[in-house]
């Protein structure tokens, strides 16, 4: 093989790697991103450039005519508008400048390509590749000069983009942009400047080799830093390639083995049947997929499948606390986040921490989100990424937004919007492995946040139908439904059941002396106090006015009296706006195995006990037998 062949054949490998890269970017583009399209276009044009350059050198090494392929190498100039669009779309996916460049430069270079193919206005062909001797058409040098100017401008724009990239993205883009700078700068010199001055002995197609570092650095950025987050597409592509390679190898081997014995057609049929069985009906396929995933993905994407499943599961949870805990636990477990906190907007208009992980409970419960981050989220409706915003904003502006979010180690702040209302805020710290959050992470978290916001709103709407607006306790209607259910369950499983009826003593005097607003505050306060001192399975309801009821499943008479006394003593000790109130409680129970149970009779007995407590002087607990 002579020097021309040594130069030419490797260019086919370069072309293959670039065309594979282009197909991967087109395939893995769920958001229909113009960035992916621009990278794919750049890859395709570079691969055609390398392929035609390789054909030129290989045919020259064989002594064959290569004129038409030499002219076809001008298709490489179409990579210039693709590269410009890529740079501008990386800044802004809706860039008007990128679209304008495409409208102007694509037609221009396509016309130059056609003129080069069918006329001698651009290129008349090369007399010799080594040493290089060329004949230029009248438009050749002006076109190359314009191309050199464009590529120098492109190099400047890439430098600017690299400098402007936020720290979170810089690691992802650094090597990719370095490869783009090498590509644009080298092409500007070899294909443009050198050729305008007679070539300086350098054949311009040699510049096609510079696309190899660009492709290599792009693959490296994808593998090391998950640039454009397309490792899954690479994994699947490699799996398919490996399957096809294996199938072809097995088919050739089986065909050569069987053809002398049974003939060509039967050998083909038997070979294909064996291949189908081996690759589709045995564990081999799964093992190959696992091997490729381990090599390419290194288990980095398993958590994303967990998050996708969680997004669907969120819609099925009907209890608010269970939902919030589920969100925090699943994100913490899947992403291995060092700290996470979920804030929900309450009736006071403030955002209170409901669930947290990796943060001291006292710190989380006492923490109040500042107005700066809340206003920023409501204004931008975007995810707040600390590193990006710290680079983008002045220290004063950043501090005004971030305030003291460092106390909860917030790196990402994700809004939970529902119908334009900021229903909640999710804060995440660093990943446990210290890897960066890529766009697909943020997309999945936003999707989970959207579903969570809807679920939270739906749960609250359902709760409003069965809860009292003042105290947040269950309403009388729901109390009756639950009491009937618990009586039937007690009868079925032969469990005890108790009922407390509570009345706030002399509550009318409180309203008369301090006003109804003070009375409302007292009812809210003692309701919270009682909720904090009963079990999660107990049912606390507002029975009417200043009367309340507590259903105590699987609770004997003696235990019910203990619960009642606990509530009574805590209420007596509490002060609301300096006001002291007491309560009277009536207790009624049904014992284990009592089958003669009736809801109305249980309520009447509890009511009798309550009347007895009030008759004996109030601020006491009384009970009646079943």
């Amino acid at each position: 093989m002579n020097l021309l062949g040594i130069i030419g054949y490797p260019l086919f490998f370069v072309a293959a790697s670039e065309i594979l890269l282009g197909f991967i970017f087109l395939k893995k583009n769920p958001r229909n991103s113009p960035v992916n399209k621009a990278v794919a276009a750049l890859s395709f044009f570079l691969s055609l450039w390398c392929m035609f350059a390789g054909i030129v050198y290989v045919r020259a090494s064989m002594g064959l005519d290569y004129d038409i392929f030499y002219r076809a190498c001008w298709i490489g100039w179409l990579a210039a508008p693709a590269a410009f669009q890529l740079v501008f779309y990386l800044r802004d996916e809706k860039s008007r400048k990128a679209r304008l460049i495409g409208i102007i430069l694509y037609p221009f270079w396509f016309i130059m390509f056609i003129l080069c193919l069918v006329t001698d206005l651009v290129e008349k062909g090369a007399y010799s590749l080594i040493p290089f001797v060329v004949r230029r058409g009248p438009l050749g040098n002006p076109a190359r000069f314009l191309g050199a100017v464009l590529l120098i401008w492109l190099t400047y724009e890439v430098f600017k983009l690299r400098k402007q990239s936020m720290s979170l993205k810089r690691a992802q883009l650094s090597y990719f942009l370095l490869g783009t700078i090498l590509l644009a700068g080298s092409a500007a010199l070899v294909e443009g400047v050198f050729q305008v001055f007679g070539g300086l002995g350098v054949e311009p197609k040699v510049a096609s080799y510079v696309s190899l570092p660009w492709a290599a650095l792009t693959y490296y950025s994808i593998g090391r830093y998950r640039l454009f987050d397309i490792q899954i597409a690479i994994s699947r592509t490699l799996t398919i390639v490996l399957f096809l390679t294996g199938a072809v190898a097995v088919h050739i081997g089986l065909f050569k083995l069987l053809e002398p014995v049974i003939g060509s057609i039967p050998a083909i049929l038997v070979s294909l049947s064996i291949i189908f069985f081996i690759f589709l009906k045995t564990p081999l396929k799964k093992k190959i997929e696992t091997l490729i995933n381990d090599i390419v993905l290194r288990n980095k994407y398993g958590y994303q499948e967990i998050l996708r499943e969680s997004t669907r599961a969120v819609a099925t949870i009907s209890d608010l606390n269970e939902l919030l805990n589920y969100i925090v636990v699943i994100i913490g477990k899947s992403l291995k986040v060092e700290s996470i906190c979920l804030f929900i907007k309450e009736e006071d208009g403030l955002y209170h921490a409901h669930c947290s992980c990796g943060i001291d409970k006292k710190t989380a419960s006492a923490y109040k989100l500042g107005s700066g981050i809340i206003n920023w989220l409501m204004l931008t409706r975007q995810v707040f990424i600390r590193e990006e915003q710290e680079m983008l904003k002045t220290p004063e502006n950043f501090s005004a937004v971030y305030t003291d979010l460092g106390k909860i180690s917030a790196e990402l702040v994700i809004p939970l919007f529902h119908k334009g209302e900021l229903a909640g805020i999710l804060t995440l710290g660093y990943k446990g492995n210290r890897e960066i959050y890529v766009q697909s992470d943020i997309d999945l978290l936003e999707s989970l946040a959207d579903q969570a916001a809807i679920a939270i709103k739906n749960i609250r709407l359902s709760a409003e139908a069965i809860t009292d607006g003042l105290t947040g306790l269950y309403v009388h209607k729901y109390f009756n439904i639950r009491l009937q259910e618990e009586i039937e369950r007690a009868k079925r499983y032969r469990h005890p059941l108790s009922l407390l009826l509570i009345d706030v003593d002399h509550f009318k005097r409180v309203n008369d002396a301090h006003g109804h607003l003070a009375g409302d505050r007292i009812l809210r306060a003692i309701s919270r106090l009682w909720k904090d001192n009963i079990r999660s399975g107990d049912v606390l309801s507002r029975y009417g006015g200043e009367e309340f009821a507590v259903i105590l499943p699987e609770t004997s008479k003696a235990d019910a009296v203990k619960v009642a006394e606990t509530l009574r003593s805590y209420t007596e000790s509490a002060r609301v706006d300096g006001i002291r109130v007491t309560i009277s409680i009536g207790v009624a129970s049904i014992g284990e195995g009592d089958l003669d149970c009736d809801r109305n009779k249980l309520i009447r007995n509890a009511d009798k006990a309550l009347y007895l407590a009030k008759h004996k002087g109030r601020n006491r607990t009384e009970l009646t037998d079943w």
Side-chain angles (χ1 to χ4, degrees):
M1 184 184 297
N2 58 28
L3 180 59
L4 292 172
I6 292 173
I7 296 173
Y9 282 109
L11 287 172
F12 295 128
F13 168 76
V14 179
S17 66
E18 288 167 345
I19 200 166
L20 175 62
L21 194 62
F23 279 119
I24 289 172
F25 273 96
L26 281 183
K27 181 179 179 181
K28 181 63 178 179
N29 191 13
R31 296 187 300 117
N32 200 30
S33 169
V35 174
N36 285 41
K37 292 179 181 178
V39 178
L42 179 58
S43 301
F44 288 140
F45 289 129
L46 290 177
S47 68
L48 291 172
W49 183 32
C50 290
M51 183 182 69
F52 288 132
I55 293 172
V56 166
Y57 276 99
V58 170
R59 288 183 69 87
S61 71
M62 297 177 178
L64 302 175
D65 177 63
Y66 54 82
D67 180 69
I68 188 64
F69 298 105
Y70 191 89
R71 295 169 182 267
C73 288
W74 272 74
I75 198 168
W77 285 106
L78 283 164
F84 268 109
Q85 287 191 313
L86 169 60
V87 171
F88 289 122
Y89 279 138
L90 279 171
R91 287 193 186 129
D92 178 9
E93 290 198 354
K94 297 180 181 179
S95 172
R96 294 180 61 186
K97 189 178 290 187
R99 293 196 297 270
L100 184 62
I101 282 176
I103 292 170
I104 295 173
L105 292 185
Y106 274 124
F108 172 79
W109 287 113
F110 183 74
I111 291 170
M112 294 302 298
F113 173 65
I114 296 300
L115 289 175
C116 189
L117 287 178
V118 301
T119 74
D120 290 335
L121 292 173
V122 180
E123 206 77 74
K124 293 183 179 180
Y127 285 112
S128 170
L129 297 176
I130 302 175
F132 177 59
V133 180
V134 71
R135 295 181 299 165
R136 298 274 184 238
L139 297 180
N141 282 341
R144 287 182 181 277
F145 178 76
L146 175 61
V149 172
L150 288 174
L151 290 175
I152 291 170
W153 177 26
L154 173 63
T155 305
Y156 168 72
E157 291 292 343
V158 176
F159 267 115
K160 273 182 34 178
L161 177 62
R162 193 164 183 264
K163 185 177 180 181
Q164 292 169 356
S165 297
M166 297 300 104
S167 55
L168 188 63
K169 294 180 179 178
R170 186 170 292 153
Q172 291 179 292
L173 289 173
S174 180
Y175 287 98
F176 173 72
L177 294 179
L178 176 61
T180 307
I181 290 170
L182 288 174
L183 174 64
S186 301
L189 286 174
V190 179
E191 279 276 6
V193 176
F194 286 0
Q195 305 311 313
V196 171
F197 293 101
L200 301 180
V202 180
E203 202 284 311
K205 305 303 170 283
V206 175
S208 58
Y209 265 102
V210 185
S211 65
L212 176 59
W214 175 82
L217 289 170
T218 301
Y219 276 113
Y220 177 75
S221 297
I222 293 168
R224 176 63 180 85
Y225 296 106
R226 284 183 277 177
L227 175 69
F228 304 121
D229 202 21
I230 62 170
Q231 282 184 299
I232 293 176
I234 292 177
S235 171
R236 291 172 181 170
T237 302
L238 289 178
T239 302
I240 292 170
V241 169
L242 190 56
F243 272 136
L244 291 176
T245 303
V248 169
V250 171
H251 176 65
I252 292 173
L254 288 174
F255 179 78
K256 288 185 176 182
L257 181 66
L258 298 174
E259 193 266 343
V261 180
I262 61 177
S264 299
I265 295 178
I268 291 173
L269 294 175
V270 171
S271 173
L272 292 177
S273 299
I274 293 173
I275 289 170
F276 175 82
F277 177 79
I278 291 175
F279 284 94
L280 299 180
K281 299 297 182 180
T282 68
L284 181 62
K285 177 186 176 184
K286 187 67 176 178
K287 289 181 178 180
I288 292 175
E289 289 177 344
T290 302
L291 175 64
I292 296 295
N293 287 339
D294 288 343
I295 294 172
V296 178
L297 303 182
R298 301 189 293 276
N299 294 321
K300 288 182 179 179
Y301 280 78
Y303 67 88
Q304 291 195 352
E305 187 59 34
I306 297 174
L307 285 180
R308 288 190 187 94
E309 292 296 329
S310 304
T311 300
R312 292 187 283 269
V314 159
T316 66
I317 300 174
S318 57
D319 180 77
L320 182 59
N321 290 327
E322 181 184 352
L323 170 67
L324 300 181
N325 278 311
Y326 178 83
I327 292 170
V328 168
V329 169
I330 202 65
I331 292 176
K333 180 180 178 181
S334 58
L335 283 171
K336 294 182 173 60
V337 179
E338 291 183 352
S339 59
I340 179 172
C341 198
L342 181 56
F343 298 84
I344 301 298
K345 188 177 182 180
E346 299 294 353
E347 291 181 358
D348 58 7
L350 301 177
Y351 292 84
H352 297 270
H354 275 250
C355 300
S356 62
C357 179
I359 303 173
D360 181 71
K361 287 187 177 181
K362 289 184 178 180
T363 302
S365 60
Y367 184 81
K368 296 294 185 292
L369 282 171
S371 59
I373 187 63
I374 295 171
N375 293 336
W376 189 91
L377 293 172
M378 295 180 69
L379 180 65
T380 64
R381 303 178 69 88
Q382 295 177 355
V383 174
F384 181 90
I385 304 173
R386 184 192 63 80
E387 286 188 276
E388 284 194 358
Q389 295 301 321
E390 193 170 16
M391 293 291 292
L392 189 63
K393 296 179 181 296
T394 63
E396 295 79 13
N397 289 339
F398 175 77
S399 297
V401 174
Y402 192 71
T403 56
D404 57 350
L405 281 168
K407 289 183 178 178
I408 54 174
S409 306
E411 289 296 311
L412 289 185
V413 183
I414 302 170
L416 280 66
F417 278 103
H418 178 69
K419 293 184 178 180
E421 179 186 357
L422 185 60
I425 295 171
L426 179 66
T427 67
L428 279 74
Y430 285 109
K431 286 185 181 181
N433 54 14
R434 292 287 167 163
E435 289 193 350
I436 59 176
Y437 290 96
V438 293
Q439 186 59 47
S440 62
D441 294 342
I442 295 173
D443 289 343
L444 282 169
L445 289 168
E446 285 186 304
S447 178
L448 181 61
D450 289 342
Q451 293 297 323
I454 295 171
I456 290 169
K457 197 67 176 179
N458 289 340
I459 290 172
R460 285 188 158 176
L461 287 174
S462 299
E464 286 176 6
I466 59 173
T467 54
D468 173 56
L470 176 63
T471 62
L473 306 181
Y474 292 119
V475 296
H476 186 271
K477 181 178 180 180
Y478 183 75
F479 159 78
N480 282 327
I481 294 172
R482 285 299 306 273
L483 181 59
Q484 185 62 41
E485 290 175 351
E486 292 301 332
I487 289 175
E488 291 174 1
R489 196 165 71 90
K491 291 166 63 177
R492 185 183 308 117
Y493 297 107
R494 299 180 179 275
H495 289 159
L497 174 69
S498 297
L499 174 64
L500 311 182
L501 284 185
I502 305 172
D503 184 75
V504 181
D505 297 330
H506 302 298
F507 191 67
K508 185 177 183 302
R509 295 180 186 176
V510 173
N511 280 333
D512 292 342
H514 303 283
H516 286 82
L517 292 178
D520 289 346
R521 287 194 293 273
I522 290 170
L523 292 181
R524 279 196 293 266
I526 61 177
S527 295
R528 285 195 296 270
L529 176 66
W530 297 342
K531 285 173 70 175
D532 291 340
N533 287 282
I534 61 173
R535 301 169 300 181
S536 60
D538 298 335
V539 182
L540 175 59
S541 308
R542 188 178 184 187
Y543 197 69
E546 65 271 19
E547 289 191 345
F548 300 84
V550 187
I551 304 171
L552 302 173
E554 300 182 30
T555 304
S556 66
K557 183 188 302 182
D559 289 336
V561 170
K562 291 178 182 178
V563 173
E565 277 299 293
T566 298
L567 299 182
R568 188 196 62 77
S569 62
Y570 279 156
T571 305
E572 183 181 17
S573 301
R575 296 292 186 275
V576 182
D577 295 342
I579 303 170
R580 171 182 175 271
V581 295
T582 60
I583 56 175
S584 300
I585 307 175
V587 181
S589 301
I590 56 176
E592 299 178 11
D594 285 339
L595 301 180
D596 186 22
C597 301
D598 177 78
R599 183 189 67 183
N600 292 333
K601 189 173 182 180
L602 184 62
I603 294 174
R604 282 197 302 270
N605 283 352
D607 197 38
K608 289 178 181 177
L610 175 61
Y611 176 80
L612 185 60
K614 293 162 72 173
H615 183 70
K616 289 185 176 182
R618 293 183 169 85
N619 190 23
R620 60 188 295 120
T621 299
E622 292 292 336
L623 66 150
T624 57
D625 294 325
W626 179 252

